[in-house]
């Protein structure tokens, strides 16, 4: 990984943060949650029935969005999209993928909270202006 340096040849703070972010990304890619997500995603991509249902759902969804933009969408259209989505989600391979996605999102939310915790700043006493003497 390349590290940017300042005039004195020392690593800059920003480059160190970027380096750590890259390491974090690599570490996340090694978690069981990410590995499972990738495996289930691949399974969905390789499953002909799932791919057919995905295409059907996307087609109905696009038709619905167009109808909605033109003011021609009906409750029946909404119901068709919901039914197609339910059919898609009822496939075991898709159910596993969605669960893996949910688990990965939970993991990433936890990581986000850990990263954000030391950055917390209370601006409430600064509400009257940006700078106080």
């Amino acid at each position: 990984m390349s590290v940017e340096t300042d005039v004195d040849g020392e690593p800059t703070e920003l480059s160190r943060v970027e380096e750590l972010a890259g390491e974090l990304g690599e570490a996340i890619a090694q978690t069981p949650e990410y590995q499972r997500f990738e495996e289930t995603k691949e399974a969905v991509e390789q499953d002909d029935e799932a791919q057919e249902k995905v295409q059907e759902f996307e087609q109905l969804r696009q038709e619905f969005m167009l109808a909605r933009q033109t003011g021609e969408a009906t409750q029946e259209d909404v119901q068709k999209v919901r039914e197609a989505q339910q059919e898609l989600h009822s496939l075991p391979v898709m159910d596993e993928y969605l669960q893996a996605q949910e688990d990965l999102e939970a993991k990433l939310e936890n990581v986000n909270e850990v990263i954000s915790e030391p950055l917390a700043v209370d601006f409430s006493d600064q509400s009257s202006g940006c700078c106080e003497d």
Side-chain angles (χ1 to χ4, degrees):
M1 177 175 290
S2 75
V3 177
E4 295 178 29
T5 58
D6 64 13
V7 177
D8 298 325
E10 294 294 318
T12 62
E13 277 300 311
L14 185 55
S15 67
R16 180 65 180 139
V17 169
E18 291 168 339
E19 181 181 352
L20 288 171
E23 291 174 18
L24 176 60
E26 291 170 9
I28 289 170
Q30 299 303 313
T31 64
E33 293 86 354
Y34 183 81
Q35 295 294 318
R36 182 167 173 255
F37 171 76
E38 283 296 317
E39 290 168 6
T40 59
K41 179 182 171 192
E42 178 71 21
V44 167
E45 290 171 351
Q46 298 301 316
D47 188 285
D48 291 337
E49 182 181 11
Q51 287 305 300
E52 183 180 319
K53 296 288 185 191
V54 166
Q55 288 176 351
E56 289 173 12
F57 170 73
E58 284 301 320
Q59 179 67 32
L60 283 171
R61 190 175 70 82
Q62 287 177 2
E63 290 171 3
F64 171 75
M65 296 300 285
L66 182 60
R68 194 171 90 182
Q69 287 176 345
T70 61
E72 298 174 13
T74 65
Q75 279 303 113
E76 184 179 322
D77 295 331
V78 172
Q79 189 60 33
K80 284 181 186 178
V81 172
R82 285 185 182 149
E83 288 172 4
Q85 184 178 37
Q86 287 173 347
E87 278 185 47
L88 176 61
H89 291 190
S90 72
L91 297 175
V93 68
M94 183 58 74
D95 184 55
E96 289 178 31
Y97 167 73
L98 293 171
Q99 184 60 52
Q101 182 179 24
E102 187 177 305
D103 293 346
L104 178 59
E105 287 173 356
K107 177 66 136 189
L108 294 176
E109 181 61 34
N110 288 337
V111 169
N112 184 48
E113 288 174 13
V114 171
I115 292 170
S116 297
E117 188 175 321
L119 302 177
V121 177
D122 182 8
F123 288 105
S124 63
D125 61 343
Q126 300 289 325
S127 62
S128 62
C130 75
C131 306
E132 293 187 23
D133 294 24

